[in-house]
Amino acid sequence: RKEVEQDPGPFNVPEGATVAFNCTYSNSASQSFFWYRQDCRKEPKLLMSVYSSGNEDGRFTAQLNRASQYISLLIRDSKLSDSATYLCVVNMPNSGYALNFGKGTSLLVTP
Amino acid sequence: DAGITQSPRHKVTETGTPVTLRCHQTENHRYMYWYRQDPGHGLRLIHYSYGVKDTDKGEVSDGYSVSRSKTEDFLLTLESATSSQTSVYFCAITAGDRENEQFFGPGTRLTVL
């Protein structure tokens, strides 16, 4: 079983739409959670850390449910520039801050 | 910009040849990592380092070795490259206020023929 599971998509949405991505993780000892964004043939870039209380950064809102081991990302008012692959990421306990990555969810925002 | 560079950026080599990839950072971060990314697998940890001469294995370490003789450089070596090691290799460091946010280099695209 993969440590971090995500729906691969693709999600095709029109500009201005709201889109939500979900992810589950299997290791209950994980303590750090992130969403990364990866553009085609580029390195992953940190989008936001995810905190237990939930957090927001502009149009992006992340939620964490430790009991269900579930993480979500909501993107409001989608822009064409949001088109990318979104990676759900969880730390590997006892591995020097190393990370477990989901395979990613592909988003395409269309005009 | 986390000040991470990788070299080479692209390499084509033949099965059985040794290959060394270099990751260089300019900001004195303690932790460094090598991941590989393949279609259908996402990023997977190969090795990581928690200081000079201190390294440990990740989930896909077979066929790879690493060395860290200076804080700023983390080398990944394929002693005898195989076609299954064709991949994109990313180096990363931890930084940020929580010291567990990772930032990645631009990647090395390796093709083993």
Side-chain angles (χ1 to χ4, degrees):
Chain A
R1 180 185 170 191
K2 183 75 175 157
E3 295 267 351
V4 181
E5 304 263 15
Q6 300 181 245
D7 180 346
F11 285 62
N12 293 339
V13 302
E15 265 187 296
T18 295
V19 60
F21 303 138
N22 304 315
C23 145
T24 57
Y25 62 96
S26 61
N27 192 333
S28 60
S30 293
Q31 296 292 325
S32 302
F33 310 91
F34 310 93
W35 284 100
Y36 278 73
R37 170 196 169 124
Q38 187 172 27
D39 293 291
C40 188
R41 300 177 75 85
K42 298 287 191 180
E43 73 272 26
K45 293 188 176 177
L46 179 64
L47 180 65
M48 57 197 303
S49 299
V50 186
Y51 304 118
S52 295
S53 55
N55 48 300
E56 187 174 306
D57 183 1
R59 298 180 294 108
F60 299 84
T61 300
Q63 297 280 350
L64 169 64
N65 184 322
R66 284 184 183 268
S68 303
Q69 296 181 202
Y70 172 96
I71 307 164
S72 66
L73 177 69
L74 185 75
I75 305 175
R76 291 181 300 278
D77 189 22
S78 298
K79 311 292 185 191
L80 296 177
S81 58
D82 293 334
S83 298
T85 297
Y86 290 83
L87 307 175
C88 180
V89 183
V90 174
N91 77 297
M92 287 185 201
N94 305 313
S95 296
Y97 303 114
L99 300 176
N100 270 317
F101 286 78
K103 295 179 184 179
T105 298
S106 176
L107 172 66
L108 178 62
V109 181
T110 56
Chain B
D1 183 0
I4 308 168
T5 57
Q6 292 185 233
S7 58
R9 295 292 314 281
H10 301 271
K11 187 170 182 67
V12 179
T13 192
E14 293 189 348
T15 297
T17 59
V19 177
T20 295
L21 309 183
R22 180 182 183 234
C23 177
H24 179 77
Q25 54 132 335
T26 58
E27 298 181 5
N28 211 35
H29 297 293
R30 179 183 171 194
Y31 288 88
M32 298 183 76
Y33 309 82
W34 278 106
Y35 294 88
R36 61 179 287 176
Q37 186 173 33
D38 306 287
H41 287 281
L43 279 91
R44 293 179 291 174
L45 180 69
I46 305 171
H47 281 277
Y48 68 97
S49 169
Y50 46 97
V52 173
K53 293 186 168 47
D54 292 322
T55 65
D56 207 346
K57 295 179 180 181
E59 62 179 304
V60 291
S61 59
D62 287 348
Y64 301 95
S65 62
V66 289
S67 66
R68 192 161 177 208
S69 58
K70 299 185 290 184
T71 299
E72 59 266 36
D73 288 325
F74 191 30
L75 304 181
L76 177 71
T77 297
L78 292 65
E79 300 290 348
S80 178
T82 67
S83 58
S84 65
Q85 294 176 310
T86 292
S87 187
V88 181
Y89 291 86
F90 288 104
C91 174
I93 56 93
T94 52
D97 293 341
R98 298 176 68 196
E99 208 184 63
N100 61 355
E101 295 173 345
Q102 284 192 16
F103 298 89
F104 286 80
T108 293
R109 194 167 294 272
L110 176 68
T111 302
V112 184
L113 301 175

